[in-house]
Amino acid sequence: MSRSRHTALFALVTVATLTLAGCAEPTDAAGGGSDRAAAKGKTPTTDVVSKVRKDEAAAKLLPAGVREAGTLRIASSVGAPPGAFYEEDGSTAAGADIDFADAVARVLGLKLTREVASFEAILPALGSGKYDLGTGNFGVTDERRRTIDFVTYINDGQGFAVREDNDLKKVTDLTQLCGLDVATGAGTTFEVTLQKNLPRCAEAGKKPYNVKTYADQAAIWISLQQNRSDVVMSTINGLRYAVTQQEGLRFLNEFKRLDVGFAFKKGSPLTPAFQAAVNRLKEDGTYDRILKKWGTTESAIETSEISPPELK
């Protein structure tokens, strides 16, 4: 889908509600905004990155060739707030993923050459060497760890949202979805989880649920609003943000938590430096300021890890 088409779709489900929500709460210059401001409807613009300084100890962990070149190629999946989205100009990427990547680059004394890519295309492209790293709210799973290395920076995971008129109260078992149309992102852990558990409906003597995948986040929400889907399965943070922007929708519940990380090809020599950089951001307070800006303080991790086991 083209960028202009994506922007138009995104506008259908967000711009009107951003306008109706009015002005956001004033941001706290020292604290980098607030959870309340991020949830009021106007996306926050507080600068929480430009004052980050290079940390020599972390930078020394980079391969010599990378330090000399001073640049890395990053692929970013741009979908919806608070992770990554386009600002109103339709071309400037913003969001928590963007802030974290830019802040880590500053710690390491690097410049990022960013290319926007589809979520499902990024991980395979890392293995081919097209990009040095990728962002896209990539959950750390045991399956992915076979071919990809991760450096964790937040904890997010899987959840559900529905229309207000839906009788569902909480999904604790996927058989509760049997007979429903479930919308989710293509190539995601949500799609994998849904497809893996699909046979359980037949085992329970129920009609199977129908998994409807979309490459565009805005299209997912349109399908729900237009009654073409009954439930959305997506990221916890993305769902919580989205329901504050759209009338008639509600966040249902968290289903499973996952660590989220920067993605690298297996065996990448970049991971120790990125881990040190994330932990440096935690030490100097930038980490907390980014989370606060985007209203995702519940996603804080204690320390960054390299390819930890999947959370069970």
Side-chain angles (χ1 to χ4, degrees):
M1 181 172 290
S2 69
R3 178 178 297 177
S4 60
R5 175 63 175 155
H6 170 89
T7 304
L9 281 170
F10 184 71
L12 286 174
V13 294
T14 59
V15 170
T17 48
L18 292 179
T19 303
L20 290 171
C23 297
E25 295 296 313
T27 56
D28 178 354
S34 70
D35 286 351
R36 187 179 179 187
K40 289 289 286 185
K42 189 174 180 63
T43 53
T45 58
T46 307
D47 177 9
V48 291
V49 174
S50 65
K51 293 183 179 179
V52 175
R53 296 293 175 257
K54 181 178 179 181
D55 182 81
E56 294 295 342
K60 285 181 180 179
L61 297 175
L62 290 168
V66 174
R67 291 200 305 271
E68 292 171 6
T71 61
L72 286 176
R73 298 159 299 169
I74 182 171
S76 297
S77 172
V78 177
F85 63 99
Y86 288 119
E87 293 183 353
E88 290 184 7
D89 62 10
S91 61
T92 302
D97 281 354
I98 305 302
D99 281 347
F100 272 118
D102 290 348
V104 164
R106 284 180 171 271
V107 171
L108 298 177
L110 299 173
K111 290 185 178 180
L112 296 178
T113 301
R114 177 173 282 111
E115 181 176 327
V116 174
S118 64
F119 179 93
E120 62 271 26
I122 293 177
L123 298 186
L126 294 174
S128 71
K130 183 176 181 179
Y131 307 112
D132 297 305
L133 71 151
T135 59
N137 203 283
F138 291 113
V140 181
T141 67
D142 291 338
E143 178 65 26
R144 284 177 174 168
R145 290 195 307 135
R146 294 184 182 133
T147 56
I148 298 292
D149 278 339
F150 294 93
V151 172
T152 60
Y153 59 96
I154 61 169
N155 175 271
D156 196 349
Q158 304 175 343
F160 297 96
V162 295
R163 292 184 302 276
E164 286 284 5
D165 61 4
N166 195 302
D167 292 334
L168 277 175
K169 302 301 180 185
K170 187 176 184 180
V171 176
T172 57
D173 190 292
L174 293 181
T175 57
Q176 293 172 258
L177 302 176
C178 296
L180 301 179
D181 291 320
V182 186
T184 195
T188 62
T189 60
F190 320 115
E191 181 184 8
V192 171
T193 298
L194 290 167
Q195 294 291 359
K196 180 180 179 180
N197 287 275
L198 191 56
R200 296 181 57 209
C201 289
E203 293 169 1
K206 299 180 179 181
K207 181 181 177 180
Y209 50 76
N210 179 33
V211 182
K212 306 179 76 170
T213 60
Y214 300 87
D216 185 275
Q217 284 291 316
I220 293 175
W221 292 110
I222 291 173
S223 77
L224 185 65
Q225 292 277 24
Q226 295 182 347
N227 295 314
R228 289 186 280 111
S229 298
D230 302 299
V231 187
V232 167
M233 187 179 188
S234 190
T235 66
I236 295 167
N237 288 338
L239 293 171
R240 282 185 166 142
Y241 189 97
V243 299
T244 69
Q245 313 304 307
Q246 303 174 66
E247 295 293 333
L249 302 183
R250 60 185 168 89
F251 177 74
L252 204 57
N253 64 281
E254 296 184 10
F255 184 70
K256 178 181 179 179
R257 280 275 174 176
L258 285 172
D259 287 324
V260 171
F262 296 106
F264 304 83
K265 70 178 181 180
K266 195 69 177 177
S268 171
L270 297 172
T271 56
F274 272 73
Q275 179 190 28
V278 173
N279 287 329
R280 177 58 185 158
L281 294 175
K282 288 188 67 67
E283 293 171 4
D284 71 14
T286 301
Y287 182 90
D288 289 338
R289 285 190 285 273
I290 294 174
L291 291 183
K292 186 177 181 182
K293 172 182 176 180
W294 296 106
T296 57
T297 54
E298 292 181 358
S299 283
I301 58 175
E302 291 186 8
T303 186
S304 177
E305 298 181 88
I306 298 175
S307 298
E310 179 179 347
L311 296 177
K312 302 298 185 181

